[in-house]
Amino acid sequence: QVQLVESGGGLVQAGGSLRLSCAASGRTISSYGMSWHRQGPGKERELVAAISSGGRTSYADSVKGRFTISRDNAKNTVYLQMNSLKPEDTAVYYCAGRLRSQTRYMYWGQGTQVTVSS
């Protein structure tokens, strides 16, 4: 019964940066695997970054080297630092979480819009 709320989206010029936050409530997420996904208009949802409970990270090739996922367990919050943004990064970004015993991400936020202008 964890709730996830994303924030930090907005309009930014190409080459700029944004930092997204995912604030969790209802449960402590220190033992959850957490991730960020995005869905652009007319496109399928895709995984862009993930971080395990132990801090291991993974990234989609399209964002590797530009995006960084991190977590602050004391604040029960996950972040996505996005640098060198490109117009193709425009999408609704979603935060998701799962327990180690779960094979799919079971908990999702409502999403936050990121728009990158050229």
Side-chain angles (χ1 to χ4, degrees):
Q1 296 182 4
V2 64
Q3 290 80 49
L4 304 175
V5 179
E6 303 96 333
S7 62
L11 176 64
V12 65
Q13 292 182 332
S17 298
L18 283 174
R19 189 193 195 199
L20 305 183
S21 297
C22 174
S25 61
R27 295 284 190 277
T28 297
I29 61 168
S30 59
S31 62
Y32 286 54
M34 302 296 296
S35 62
W36 288 94
H37 307 246
R38 68 186 181 187
Q39 187 167 24
K43 299 180 180 179
E44 294 185 347
R45 187 175 63 203
E46 64 173 338
L47 175 69
V48 299
I51 185 167
S52 72
S53 60
R56 179 177 59 84
T57 60
S58 61
Y59 300 91
D61 288 342
S62 59
V63 307
K64 192 172 184 179
R66 300 188 298 121
F67 290 11
T68 303
I69 188 171
S70 62
R71 63 196 304 160
D72 186 338
N73 289 335
K75 295 183 177 180
N76 218 30
T77 299
V78 178
Y79 303 96
L80 185 67
Q81 178 67 47
M82 305 185 295
N83 298 326
S84 301
L85 283 162
K86 304 174 180 179
E88 50 262 48
D89 296 319
T90 295
V92 177
Y93 283 72
Y94 299 91
C95 177
R98 66 173 180 90
L99 295 170
R100 178 180 286 269
S101 62
Q102 298 169 330
T103 59
R104 305 185 69 189
Y105 290 99
M106 298 295 293
Y107 312 104
W108 292 80
Q110 83 290 344
T112 185
Q113 176 71 46
V114 171
T115 302
V116 184
S117 64
S118 61

